Amino acid sequence: MSRGRRDVMVLVASLAVFAVCAVIAADGRVGPIERAAFHAVNGLPNWLYGPMLAFQYLGVLAMPLIVAVGALAFRRWRLAAALVLVVPCKLALERVVKWLVQRERPVTTVGDAILRGVHPGGLSFVSGHAIITFAIAGLLALVLPRRWAVVAFVLAILNAVARVYLGAHTRWMWSVGPRSAWPSRPCWICCWTWPVTAPAALGPRR
């Protein structure tokens, strides 16, 4: 199976998983299991605030552009282009999803949530931070050695956990998983499925 065809299949599967999560999230209710999972993370000690805040910054809107600069330094032109495309894809798709799915923040759905420097208002599905971190990890996994690709995904998971700890989301499942990396797939398709084959453009894996 060609890389392009496999990538399209992953995109379709990711959208299917996302659709299921969206239907569940649209209900708006926080069940006992979800509430317990939220409190288990949100109730962690306050001394973790510094590290969790640092992990949260991995999902800011400028992060794909920062990583793209690094890609340019290593002459990974298509990777840099895909990382830049993450920004408009995230902004557009996030807006559409939040228009379709009205999932409130934990301060509304849980009530006794501990907020640590996050805005109490707004919608919590999807997690914009998770979209960015998992899109970056998904793109880096195409070019990094496997051990470093694992590091990229671990950092993305820590970003998602941090968002729950800070009180922005009720459960880390809403922040991570296959659906979180879905913007990386159209970015990858746009930048790699050109006449030049992906392996030639990316170079050998280490």
Side-chain angles (χ1 to χ4, degrees):
M1 182 183 298
S2 67
R3 181 184 290 240
R5 183 176 179 183
R6 183 173 67 248
D7 199 71
V8 172
M9 291 178 63
V10 172
L11 171 62
V12 173
S14 298
L15 290 174
V17 173
F18 166 77
V20 173
C21 291
V23 170
I24 298 173
D27 180 77
R29 294 179 297 178
V30 178
I33 296 177
E34 183 176 356
R35 187 180 299 270
F38 169 76
H39 284 306
V41 178
N42 185 241
L44 290 173
N46 288 329
W47 62 264
L48 287 171
Y49 175 75
M52 291 295 186
L53 185 63
F55 289 133
Q56 176 186 237
Y57 288 145
L58 295 175
V60 298
L61 194 60
M63 191 56 66
L65 304 180
I66 294 173
V67 180
V69 171
L72 290 174
F74 286 94
R75 298 179 179 272
R76 300 284 189 171
W77 313 120
R78 294 175 186 242
L79 174 62
L83 287 163
V84 170
L85 283 175
V86 168
V87 175
C89 284
K90 180 263 184 188
L91 292 174
L93 297 173
E94 182 185 30
R95 177 170 296 186
V96 171
V97 172
K98 289 190 174 182
W99 178 69
L100 294 172
V101 181
Q102 305 291 308
R103 176 80 173 194
E104 300 291 338
R105 295 284 182 187
V107 70
T108 299
T109 57
V110 178
D112 57 347
I114 302 172
L115 299 185
R116 298 180 174 94
V118 296
H119 196 279
L123 301 175
S124 65
F125 187 89
V126 291
S127 169
H129 285 71
I131 287 177
I132 288 175
T133 54
F134 275 87
I136 292 174
L139 289 169
L140 291 180
L142 298 171
V143 300
L144 290 176
R146 286 179 175 81
R147 59 183 180 277
W148 291 111
V150 170
V151 172
F153 278 105
V154 168
L155 290 174
I157 292 173
L158 288 173
N159 170 264
V161 173
R163 293 294 287 164
V164 177
Y165 172 82
L166 297 172
H169 299 279
T170 53
R171 186 166 60 169
W172 76 297
M173 193 190 83
W174 303 131
S175 300
V176 301
R179 66 96 186 158
S180 298
W182 53 303
S184 69
R185 293 301 163 178
C187 293
W188 186 92
I189 292 170
C190 288
C191 295
W192 267 279
T193 54
W194 289 37
V196 179
T197 63
L202 293 174
R205 295 176 71 110
R206 296 177 179 85

